[in-house]
Amino acid sequence: MMKLKTTHDANDDFSKKADKMDGKLFTHNLGYPRIGEQRELKKATEAYWNGKISRAELETTGRTLRAAHWAKQKAAGIDLIPCNDFSFYDQVLGLTCLVGNVPPRFEWDCEMVDLDTYFQIARGTGRPGCEHGCSTHGGTFASEMTKWFDTNYHYIVPELRLDTKFRLSSTKIFDELEEAQSLGINAKPVLIGPVTYLTLGKAQEDFDPHTLLDPLVAVYEEILRRLKVLGVEWVQLDEPVLAFDLSDRQLNALKTAYARLAKVGPKMMVATYFGPLRENLPHFLELPVAALHYDAVRGAEDLDRLFTRFPEHKILSLGVVDGRNIWKNDFDSSLAVLDRARKAVGEERLWIAPSCSLQHSPITLKNEPGLDPEFRSWLAFADEKLAEVVALSALTPEALEENRAALASRNQSPRIHDPKVKTRLAAVQNADFERSAPFAQRRKLQREKLKLPSFPTTTIGSFPQTAEIRTARAKWKRGEMQPAAYEAFIKGAIRECVAFQDSIGIDLPVHGEFERNDMVEYFGEQLSGFAFTKNGWVQSYGTRYVKPPILFGDVSRPHPMTVHWSEFAQTLTERPMKGMLTGPVTILQWSFVRDDQPRSETAWQIALAIRDEVIDLEKAGIAAIQIDEPALREGLPLRHADWEHYLDWAVKAFRLCACGVCDDTQIHTHMCYSEFNDIITAIAALDADVITIETSRSNMELLDAFVDFAYPNEIGPGVWDIHSPRVPGVEEMENLLRKAKAVIPPENLWVNPDCGLKTRGWEEVKPALRNMAQAACNLRV
Ligand code: GLN
Ligand code: ZN
C-alpha cells in the first residue's frame, strides 16, 4: 500500500509527478452487497421472523457474511474497506436506530435499540400472522418505505417530529468495526450523512426538519469521537443529497454540519454519487473535510470543473467504475479520466473507487455458469468491479489489452447490433407518434364498437397467481411438465377467470396474466436483446430481492408474445377482451440497461417491438389494449432541469407503442400511484384513451391533479386497495365513486381496483369484484 500524505506539502510539484504516473493509486470501496452470494441474508432473516432460527443464529449469519465480504475485498487488493455497510434490513433504518429515532408508536424506552425493534419499524407489529402489522390487529404500522434516489432500492423513511430527540442508541457501528479490526481489515466505517438523513426523512407535522440538525450533529460528533478512540483513521459520510436541487437551507446545513464534524474524530471523506453536482459543486468542494468522493460516471459532465477547482490539500476519490450497472469498465476512457485527475491533483491525492456503493449490483459472475464466455466477457458484477478498481490503480499492459478485446467484441457483436432495428428506428416519422383522430372522435368510434355501459367495470390485468400456477410454471421451466400440458393448464385458468368475470358482469374482462411470472421478465424473455442471470440478485427492500433482466442489445420482437392468450380468452366471452402489455419505460426502468446508447434510444426500440404486439392484438380482434407504465414516474431524473427531456422521450416511447392502431381500438394505460401533480401534462400527453390509477387509499383526494388540470380522456380511479387483504363493501366503493363523479365528468369515469390482483387470493378477489360490479350498477340508475 502506498504511503499516504494527507496534508499537501506546498513545495511538491504535483504536475511533475503526474507525468511519471508510475505509482499505484490508493483504492477503496464505498459499500459491498450484503445479501450473500446464495441469498443467505434473506434466508436467515426470514427464518428468524418465522421463529425457525434464534436471534443468535441470525447474528452468526450476519457475522459470517461480513467476514466473507471483508476477506473478499482484501483479497481483491482494496486498500481501505468499508464497514457498517452491512444491514439486516436497510442502512437508513440502521442510522435511525443508531441515533435513537424510533417512532413513538413503538413505545421503545430502552437504552439501546435492539434487533427486534429495528425489524418492527420496518415491518410493523401485529398479532402473529398479520403481515402488515396494523392497529386493527392489536399492533402498530410500519414506517413508510420509499425509493433510494433513482435506484430500485427502497429505504425506511425516517420519521421526524418537532420533539424528536436524538441520542446514541446502538453499538452496531462500533461492534462491526471491532469485528473488522480483529480480522486484520483496514476498515472505514460508513455512515449516511446528517443532511441526507434529514432530507430523506419525512416531517410528521408542520415544521422544518432542519431545526433538528444541531441535536443530530451532536450524536454524529459522539459517534466520530468514539470511532477515533477505536483507532479509526478514515470515516466515510455519504451525502448523495448533493445530486438533488438543494435549497439554501440545505446548503447551509451541509456547511454547518461539516464545520462541526470536521473538528472531531477521524479523517473524514464525504461521498456524493448518482449525479452531477452542477451548482452544488462549489459547496461540495468547500466542505472542510480531508477527502471528497465524486461519482465520475454519473457526474461526468462536471469533471472539468471538478478538476480545475479541486482544492489543494484534499484527497479526491474518483468513482470511475459504475456501481449501478453490470457492464465491464472501459479502461481506456477511465484511464483518460484518471489521467486528467492526476494532472489536476497529483497522484498522491488521487484515490480510486466504484462510483457508489456496490449494493446496487449483483455480486459475482462466478455463479453464472449459464452465460457464454463471450457475453460474460462484457460484464462485471460487484466482485469483478472491485478487480477493475484494483486493475485501474496500476494498470498493466496485459490487463489493458484484455479489456480492449472484450470491449471491441461488445462494440461489434452482431448479437448486440441489429442493422434492421437501427434502420427501422431511424425511419420513424412524426406521424408514428400520433393517432389518426383526436380523442373525441376516437371515443365515438370506440363506443360504437365496444358498446360498454356507463361506468364500465374492468380490472388492471392480473388475477391471483396461486401456488398451483407458480408450481406448474416452475415445472414447465425445468422441463418436468410438457409444453402441451402447461398450455392446457394455463388455458384452464384463463377459462375459469373469464367465466367468473362474465358471471359478475365485468364489462371489459381480461385473461388474468396467468402465463406471466413478472411483468417485465415475461416480455424480456421473448424479445431479442435481453439476457437473464441465474443469481444476479439485487436487494429491492428488506428481504425482497430482484433479478433484473440485462438489456444488452438492439431490441426486436421475433414473434407475437401475448396474442395467443388474448385471442383464446376472446373466444370465451361475448364481451370485448382487454389485451395486456408492459410499456417501454417500465421495461427499461426495471432492467440493467445498455450504456452504449442513450436510454431514450433503447426505450424507443422497445416501443417499436411493443407496437408490433399492439398491432397484432388488434388484428386478432382485440379491441382494447392496456399498456402498463407503472415506472414512468420513477424514471424522473433527480434534477428538475432534466425532467422535460426525460418526459419528452418517455411520453413519445409510449405513443410509439400505442399509435399504430385504428381509432376504434381503445388504448388503456395503468399507473400504480396517484401523485401526478407535477407530471400531469405528460400524463395527458400520453393520450391514452383510458388511464387507471391508484386512489382508494387517499379516499379519491389524489384525483385533484386530474380535476385541476381538467384531464380530457377517460379515467378509472381505483376503488379497491388491493394492497390489503380487506374486502371493501358495495357501499364503500359506491361512495368513492360518487366522490369521483362529483369532480370528473361521469361519462369519463371507469370502475376498477387500484392495481393488479396477482398477490391476492380468490377468496378476496371474488367478493371484492362482485361488490365492485354492484357498486357500478348502483351508479347507473
Ligand atoms: N397488468 C399488471 C397487473 O395487473 C399491472 C401491474 C402493475 O402495474 N404493477 O399485474
Ligand atoms: Zn399497478
Side-chain angles (χ1 to χ4, degrees):
M1 183 173 89
M2 165 172 119
K3 176 90 186 71
L4 275 170
K5 281 191 193 164
T6 49
T7 38
H8 171 65
D9 175 349
N11 297 323
D12 268 5
D13 183 351
F14 282 109
S15 59
K16 218 185 278 163
K17 276 200 180 132
D19 289 333
K20 277 200 289 157
M21 281 185 210
D22 50 1
K24 175 189 173 299
L25 295 177
F26 189 77
T27 60
H28 76 111
N29 184 22
L30 279 75
Y32 188 85
R34 52 219 173 203
I35 62 180
E37 283 182 29
Q38 303 299 328
R39 290 180 286 160
E40 290 89 339
L41 189 61
K42 172 187 175 74
K43 290 169 197 163
T45 309
E46 289 178 353
Y48 174 65
W49 292 344
N50 297 329
K52 298 212 178 80
I53 65 170
S54 67
R55 172 128 153 219
E57 286 169 290
L58 176 62
E59 305 263 20
T60 303
T61 305
R63 211 173 303 116
T64 312
L65 284 170
R66 289 191 292 271
H69 299 160
W70 290 324
K72 261 197 196 180
Q73 295 175 79
K74 190 176 175 184
I78 297 293
D79 296 318
L80 186 59
I81 295 172
C83 67
N84 198 46
D85 53 342
F86 177 84
S87 205
F88 277 109
Y89 198 99
D90 163 42
Q91 67 266 25
V92 180
L93 175 59
L95 180 53
T96 288
C97 294
L98 176 61
V99 300
N101 183 23
V102 179
R105 65 182 177 282
F106 294 97
E107 295 172 359
W108 164 76
D109 57 1
C110 310
E111 200 184 325
M112 293 286 141
V113 182
D114 70 320
L115 194 56
D116 291 325
T117 307
Y118 168 92
F119 283 138
Q120 281 173 5
I121 302 171
R123 309 176 68 227
T125 63
R127 76 167 183 217
C130 164
E131 51 177 307
H132 308 279
C134 47
S135 36
T136 36
H137 289 156
T140 185
F141 56 93
S143 283
E144 232 180 273
M145 176 171 84
T146 196
K147 280 168 81 71
W148 174 248
F149 295 81
D150 59 352
T151 72
N152 246 326
Y153 177 77
H154 301 71
Y155 66 93
I156 300 294
V157 180
E159 297 181 19
L160 303 171
R161 296 177 168 79
L162 205 49
D163 64 350
T164 293
K165 300 264 180 300
F166 297 111
R167 71 178 161 80
L168 185 55
S169 305
S170 159
T171 57
K172 175 184 179 287
I173 185 168
F174 312 115
D175 299 344
E176 290 180 11
L177 170 71
E178 288 181 310
E179 218 175 281
Q181 288 170 333
S182 75
L183 294 168
I185 298 295
N186 185 18
K188 169 191 58 175
V190 174
L191 264 177
I192 291 162
V195 181
T196 294
Y197 184 74
L198 289 179
T199 302
L200 298 185
K202 193 166 160 190
Q204 306 294 306
E205 48 210 320
D206 189 17
F207 84 111
D208 175 8
H210 286 100
T211 55
L212 299 173
L213 185 72
D214 267 357
L216 180 62
V217 169
V219 183
Y220 274 78
E221 287 174 329
E222 197 179 339
I223 297 165
L224 294 179
R225 271 192 216 106
R226 206 148 142 191
L227 289 174
K228 189 169 188 178
V229 172
L230 291 171
V232 165
E233 189 188 0
W234 282 100
V235 47
Q236 170 191 324
L237 288 171
D238 288 2
E239 292 287 7
V241 79
L242 277 152
F244 278 153
D245 300 315
L246 293 181
S247 64
D248 287 346
R249 195 158 267 180
Q250 286 166 304
L251 290 169
N252 274 330
L254 280 164
K255 197 167 169 178
T256 16
Y258 287 92
R260 280 175 61 184
L261 297 179
K263 292 201 189 102
V264 295
K267 282 182 275 191
M268 210 182 321
M269 168 186 290
V270 171
T272 160
Y273 37 79
F274 297 156
L277 298 193
R278 298 184 186 163
E279 72 287 358
N280 298 335
L281 184 70
H283 301 275
F284 174 59
L285 296 179
E286 271 164 23
L287 294 175
V289 295
L292 296 170
H293 170 83
Y294 185 79
D295 178 343
V297 179
R298 294 258 175 142
E301 68 172 66
D302 277 338
L303 280 174
D304 278 336
R305 290 170 62 230
L306 177 82
F307 293 150
T308 31
R309 298 183 190 189
F310 200 79
E312 288 187 19
H313 314 307
K314 280 182 197 165
I315 286 174
L316 170 61
S317 158
L318 262 197
V320 289
V321 171
D322 193 351
R324 294 279 301 271
N325 215 326
I326 40 71
W327 301 109
K328 179 165 279 181
N329 188 263
D330 177 345
F331 281 2
D332 277 307
S333 53
S334 294
L335 278 183
V337 170
L338 288 170
D339 196 18
R340 284 156 64 205
R342 272 187 170 100
K343 292 211 167 83
V345 306
E347 203 158 76
E348 301 200 352
R349 288 197 290 140
L350 181 61
W351 291 13
I352 164 171
S355 62
C356 60
S357 165
L358 295 175
Q359 78 172 110
H360 309 292
S361 160
I363 300 178
T364 168
L365 279 170
K366 192 181 81 201
N367 299 331
E368 301 297 338
L371 299 179
D372 64 88
E374 186 195 35
F375 187 71
R376 169 198 292 270
S377 80
W378 301 338
L379 306 177
F381 292 178
D383 286 352
E384 292 78 26
K385 287 176 192 299
L386 291 176
E388 289 180 337
V389 167
V390 173
L392 282 167
S393 72
L395 199 59
T396 63
E398 298 75 35
L400 182 59
E401 252 349 281
E402 202 185 311
N403 179 271
R404 282 182 178 157
L407 266 98
S409 119
R410 188 177 158 213
N411 276 341
Q412 294 147 17
S413 171
R415 291 164 79 180
I416 294 183
H417 303 282
D418 179 347
K420 283 207 292 295
V421 174
K422 295 191 203 295
T423 314
R424 183 174 178 204
L425 187 57
V428 164
Q429 310 275 317
N430 284 345
D432 297 330
F433 298 103
E434 305 284 339
R435 304 281 300 260
S436 346
F439 171 70
Q441 276 174 46
R442 300 198 304 263
R443 154 140 79 184
K444 220 169 134 262
L445 298 169
Q446 289 163 18
R447 294 212 157 153
E448 280 159 21
K449 182 163 165 194
L450 292 166
K451 302 195 174 58
L452 298 170
S454 55
F455 308 108
T457 51
T458 190
T459 62
I460 308 307
S462 60
F463 269 74
Q465 283 270 332
T466 58
E468 209 192 347
I469 289 170
R470 288 176 194 280
T471 313
R473 184 164 42 244
K475 279 192 179 162
W476 165 67
K477 285 207 162 172
R478 284 198 302 265
E480 290 161 21
M481 186 170 189
Q482 290 304 312
Y486 179 66
E487 158 114 11
F489 174 83
I490 296 290
K491 282 188 168 168
I494 293 176
R495 185 169 286 134
E496 276 179 43
C497 181
V498 174
F500 167 69
Q501 293 170 83
D502 258 345
S503 75
I504 61 167
I506 297 291
D507 304 303
L508 185 62
V510 296
H511 72 286
E513 300 182 20
F514 302 111
E515 76 287 3
R516 300 180 196 177
N517 31 358
D518 173 281
M519 63 186 291
V520 170
E521 196 176 52
Y522 180 77
F523 291 94
E525 277 174 349
Q526 301 190 70
L527 291 167
S528 311
F530 286 79
F532 294 84
T533 62
K534 210 166 168 314
N535 290 294
W537 297 100
V538 180
Q539 189 178 24
S540 172
Y541 65 88
T543 60
R544 187 175 151 81
Y545 308 162
V546 294
K547 206 154 51 89
I550 298 178
L551 206 174
F552 69 90
D554 288 337
V555 178
S556 60
R557 189 197 66 144
H559 49 75
M561 304 179 284
T562 63
V563 176
H564 173 68
W565 304 116
S566 291
E567 208 172 14
F568 169 72
Q570 184 63 86
T571 64
L572 304 170
T573 176
E574 294 296 311
R575 295 190 167 93
M577 178 61 51
K578 180 164 71 168
M580 300 301 312
L581 303 172
T582 302
V585 180
T586 300
I587 293 181
L588 186 83
Q589 206 54 40
W590 293 351
S591 303
F592 284 118
V593 180
R594 56 195 292 190
D595 59 354
D596 57 348
Q597 67 183 23
R599 288 171 80 78
S600 53
E601 209 166 309
T602 309
W604 287 19
Q605 287 185 356
I606 309 170
L608 285 173
I610 303 288
R611 179 184 178 100
D612 293 343
E613 186 74 11
V614 171
I615 293 172
D616 280 349
L617 281 168
E618 180 185 62
K619 276 192 203 139
I622 303 300
I625 301 161
Q626 178 170 313
I627 306 166
D628 291 323
E629 280 293 25
L632 185 86
R633 187 171 217 295
E634 69 184 56
L636 280 173
L638 298 178
R639 293 300 195 103
H640 273 90
D642 302 330
W643 281 26
E644 196 179 316
H645 172 68
Y646 162 75
L647 288 170
D648 181 60
W649 66 251
V651 166
K652 283 188 178 144
F654 181 88
R655 294 177 66 126
L656 196 51
C657 298
C659 292
V661 289
C662 304
D663 289 329
D664 61 357
T665 295
Q666 188 170 60
I667 297 291
H668 290 228
T669 189
H670 165 71
M671 290 170 201
C672 310
Y673 43 84
S674 41
E675 290 132 32
F676 289 104
N677 288 311
D678 41 8
I679 56 163
I680 187 72
T681 324
I683 299 299
L686 296 175
D687 198 24
D689 298 303
V690 184
I691 183 171
T692 54
I693 59 168
E694 178 205 290
T695 36
S696 73
R697 274 189 285 192
S698 73
N699 213 0
M700 297 285 150
E701 266 148 35
L702 290 159
L703 269 179
D704 285 357
F706 289 84
V707 178
D708 297 345
F709 182 79
Y711 182 76
N713 300 9
E714 300 188 4
I715 174 169
V719 291
W720 165 24
D721 172 15
I722 60 90
H723 304 94
S724 138
R726 209 172 63 83
V727 172
V730 178
E731 202 181 326
E732 179 181 336
M733 290 191 268
E734 203 181 315
N735 284 338
L736 287 175
L737 285 168
R738 291 197 191 281
K739 261 184 116 162
K741 201 177 110 190
V743 290
I744 300 255
E747 68 278 11
N748 286 4
L749 207 53
W750 283 69
V751 180
N752 48 266
D754 266 344
C755 194
L757 307 174
K758 66 176 164 225
T759 56
R760 298 267 62 94
W762 277 106
E763 66 287 358
E764 298 140 10
V765 165
K766 284 192 172 171
L769 284 184
R770 209 172 262 129
N771 291 349
M772 186 187 89
Q774 187 58 53
C777 257
N778 296 354
L779 238 68
R780 287 175 196 147
V781 290

